[in-house]
Amino acid sequence: MRNIRLTIQYDGTDYLGWQKQAGTDRTIQTITEKALKQILQEPVRLTAAGRTDSGVHAAAQVANFKTNNPISLAKLQYGLNSLLPDDIKVVSAKNAAPDFHSRYHAREKTYQYTILNRPYPDVFIRKHVYHYGIAKLDLSRMRAAARLLVGRHDFTSFRATGATRSRSNVRMIKRIGIAQKGDLIIIQVTGEGFLYKMVRGIVGTLIEIGRGRFPVSSICRILDARKRTSAGPTAPASGLCLLRVRY
Amino acid sequence: MRNIRLTIQYDGTDYLGWQKQAGTDRTIQTITEKALKQILQEPVRLTAAGRTDSGVHAAAQVANFKTNNPISLAKLQYGLNSLLPDDIKVVSAKNAAPDFHSRYHAREKTYQYTILNRPYPDVFIRKHVYHYGIAKLDLSRMRAAARLLVGRHDFTSFRATGATRSRSNVRMIKRIGIAQKGDLIIIQVTGEGFLYKMVRGIVGTLIEIGRGRFPVSSICRILDARKRTSAGPTAPASGLCLLRVRY
């Protein structure tokens, strides 16, 4: 059986996230599986590296599926892109090793969060950033706080409740990069895996620190507290994008 | 009386262009004048540097209006941005000289046209580029052709019919820059003024040359012909943006 690996790009604005859900067709998985079924003439099950939440984007989600259909990869990609809506596109289709699993074999994922930090919004990127115009954020404070988050920690305080509980809330953050590009603040968080809405909890907290409402050192207190209420708010989905998955 | 100069940014996707039209509210002018009226409590008439067409964007349209209202510029900008929809925003509001006229006094305008030249589209910028995936465009051919367009010429062949006839079809193109950024081809055309859909006619022709269907020298023949049918097609509105107006 063939194991095919797709790299998928999507604008999550109008979707309820990656994962299939009962009662709605507005998920990336549902729509992509439907297009695959139409091309392959058989139902297939897509497994993705990360189940992005409602409204979250992906520049390079990785998903794999198995099929016996001998279709060429070029035809598959072209066919999918013809059937898929404007806000979901396949960037590449490749043959993978028979045992390749897009989630279990992911070594690290990088999420990118983009903040537009100026008084007025930008019409062109309005759906792909979080417009934060209330105060100027202090990048050196945010960077110092980010450094305290890198490493293996219990991230309970940054994890939204409501989703299925993980066995452990300990996760490893490998790197956090914070760059400035004009009025944009671009935060890249790399880790092996993340808890539910964890990146957005981290960004919401870094914003509180950047605007001076929390001290830089509050990160230590927040990590220790293991309580969601000790951290900052969950930053909006619009600014978040699954940037890269490494295997 | 105060003469106020606004710099306005808009995503033209959902609009019928800048200019007010009978029978529709979906123009940038109509919606912005409506917001101004609500703030100033009097009707005002906005004059713009360039009347962008249906679907065309602006990064920095300049428009002025007269009022006796003593409102501060900061309040005006903030109030407008609160009332305006997500796809129209005021980047700046400034006092202008009493005789300042955004159209008559414009010394030069720069339009930017963005082509995404790869087989599959990009979901994030899909509304702000022209996705051209049929063939790889040859930039050196396009640049050579662009050089032949710079200067003062009769641009009848690049001008769409249908709009009000100008007295003369002679226009001066000061510069055409063609840059590559990954899979993007970014064409900037600077001139004193342009005929109806002239930039899109130029881009459509440069694409024909870039893909090898027209020779570079065809520009001379097309300019001489003074017939719209001699040039390439009008490139789609989605890729065009009024980038800058100089006074």
Side-chain angles (χ1 to χ4, degrees):
Chain A
M1 218 170 183
R2 300 170 75 188
N3 190 6
I4 298 180
R5 170 180 166 167
L6 302 177
T7 302
I8 306 171
Q9 187 193 60
Y10 48 85
D11 177 335
T13 309
D14 295 332
Y15 296 96
L16 295 166
W18 168 266
Q19 203 172 11
K20 223 188 301 200
Q21 284 178 38
T24 177
D25 279 349
R26 301 302 298 161
T27 80
I28 322 287
Q29 186 184 2
T30 308
I31 288 175
T32 312
E33 285 184 353
K34 205 174 136 191
L36 277 167
K37 188 181 172 184
Q38 203 173 324
I39 291 170
L40 305 171
Q41 299 290 317
E42 61 173 357
V44 293
R45 200 191 151 70
L46 266 177
T47 309
R51 299 178 192 139
T52 54
D53 293 324
S54 183
V56 173
H57 318 292
Q61 170 74 281
V62 178
N64 70 300
F65 67 94
K66 308 219 168 172
T67 184
N68 282 316
N69 194 307
I71 188 170
S72 81
L73 295 168
K75 254 193 187 153
L76 176 70
Q77 182 186 0
Y78 186 83
L80 281 169
N81 283 338
S82 306
L83 291 173
L84 287 168
D86 280 356
D87 46 11
I88 307 178
K89 292 296 164 201
V90 174
V91 174
S92 80
K94 288 183 179 158
N95 287 314
D99 70 331
F100 173 77
H101 190 288
S102 56
R103 186 155 72 255
Y104 299 154
H105 295 175
R107 272 197 309 114
E108 63 172 49
K109 286 174 216 157
T110 299
Y111 278 92
Q112 177 166 289
Y113 198 96
T114 309
I115 302 166
L116 177 65
N117 190 210
R118 69 175 187 197
Y120 56 93
D122 182 305
V123 300
F124 299 110
I125 52 172
R126 66 190 191 274
K127 292 179 175 174
H128 311 127
V129 301
Y130 168 36
H131 172 229
Y132 186 82
I134 308 164
K136 194 93 194 141
L137 298 173
D138 181 331
L139 251 76
S140 65
R141 287 173 61 85
M142 293 170 80
R143 286 193 180 119
R147 249 171 261 135
L148 300 173
L149 287 165
V150 172
R152 193 173 297 277
H153 302 285
D154 183 322
F155 285 98
T156 305
S157 295
F158 296 96
R159 168 187 166 281
T161 48
T164 358
R165 239 164 254 277
S166 319
R167 261 164 301 176
S168 156
N169 290 335
V170 174
R171 290 292 181 277
M172 166 75 175
I173 291 187
K174 292 185 175 181
R175 294 182 297 281
I176 303 183
I178 305 184
Q180 184 147 34
K181 214 174 149 185
D183 294 323
L184 297 176
I185 298 174
I186 300 161
I187 304 175
Q188 293 189 351
V189 185
T190 302
E192 293 166 354
F194 300 93
L195 301 167
Y196 187 51
K197 296 193 183 172
M198 174 174 150
V199 176
R200 289 159 62 189
I202 288 175
V203 170
T205 306
L206 291 178
I207 288 175
E208 292 303 287
I209 292 168
R211 73 180 288 193
R213 293 224 299 196
F214 287 5
V216 171
S217 63
S218 64
I219 293 292
C220 307
R221 176 184 58 71
I222 294 167
L223 284 169
D224 277 351
R226 295 181 174 73
K227 272 178 72 177
R228 183 66 189 88
T229 50
S230 66
T234 301
S238 63
L240 189 61
C241 182
L242 173 55
L243 187 67
R244 185 172 54 231
V245 186
R246 285 223 171 105
Y247 290 95
Chain B
M1 220 172 181
R2 299 171 75 190
N3 190 4
I4 298 180
R5 169 180 167 166
L6 302 177
T7 302
I8 306 172
Q9 188 193 61
Y10 48 85
D11 177 335
T13 309
D14 295 332
Y15 296 97
L16 295 167
W18 168 267
Q19 203 173 9
K20 226 187 303 202
Q21 284 179 36
T24 178
D25 279 350
R26 302 301 298 161
T27 80
I28 321 287
Q29 185 184 4
T30 307
I31 288 176
T32 312
E33 285 183 353
K34 205 172 137 191
L36 277 167
K37 189 181 173 185
Q38 203 172 325
I39 291 171
L40 304 170
Q41 299 289 318
E42 61 173 359
V44 294
R45 200 191 151 70
L46 266 176
T47 308
R51 299 175 192 144
T52 55
D53 292 325
S54 183
V56 173
H57 317 294
Q61 170 75 280
V62 178
N64 70 301
F65 67 94
K66 309 220 167 170
T67 183
N68 282 316
N69 193 307
I71 188 170
S72 80
L73 295 169
K75 256 194 185 152
L76 176 70
Q77 184 187 1
Y78 186 83
L80 281 170
N81 283 338
S82 306
L83 291 173
L84 287 168
D86 280 357
D87 46 11
I88 308 178
K89 292 295 163 202
V90 174
V91 174
S92 80
K94 288 183 179 157
N95 287 315
D99 70 332
F100 173 77
H101 190 288
S102 55
R103 186 156 69 255
Y104 299 154
H105 294 174
R107 272 197 306 116
E108 62 173 49
K109 286 174 219 159
T110 298
Y111 278 92
Q112 177 168 289
Y113 198 96
T114 309
I115 302 166
L116 176 65
N117 189 211
R118 69 176 186 196
Y120 55 95
D122 183 305
V123 300
F124 299 111
I125 52 172
R126 66 190 192 273
K127 292 179 176 173
H128 311 127
V129 301
Y130 168 37
H131 172 230
Y132 186 83
I134 308 164
K136 194 92 195 141
L137 298 174
D138 181 332
L139 252 76
S140 66
R141 287 174 61 88
M142 293 169 79
R143 286 193 179 116
R147 248 171 263 134
L148 300 174
L149 287 164
V150 172
R152 192 172 298 276
H153 302 285
D154 183 322
F155 284 99
T156 305
S157 295
F158 296 96
R159 168 188 166 280
T161 48
T164 356
R165 239 163 255 275
S166 318
R167 259 165 303 177
S168 156
N169 290 335
V170 173
R171 290 292 181 277
M172 166 75 176
I173 292 187
K174 292 185 174 181
R175 291 182 298 282
I176 303 183
I178 305 185
Q180 183 146 34
K181 215 176 150 183
D183 293 323
L184 298 176
I185 297 174
I186 300 161
I187 304 174
Q188 293 189 353
V189 185
T190 301
E192 292 167 356
F194 299 93
L195 300 169
Y196 186 52
K197 297 193 182 170
M198 172 176 151
V199 176
R200 289 160 62 190
I202 287 174
V203 170
T205 306
L206 291 178
I207 288 175
E208 293 304 288
I209 291 167
R211 74 181 289 194
R213 292 223 300 196
F214 287 5
V216 170
S217 63
S218 64
I219 293 291
C220 307
R221 177 184 57 74
I222 293 167
L223 284 169
D224 276 351
R226 294 179 174 75
K227 273 179 71 176
R228 182 67 190 88
T229 49
S230 66
T234 302
S238 63
L240 189 61
C241 182
L242 173 55
L243 188 67
R244 187 172 53 232
V245 186
R246 285 225 171 101
Y247 290 95

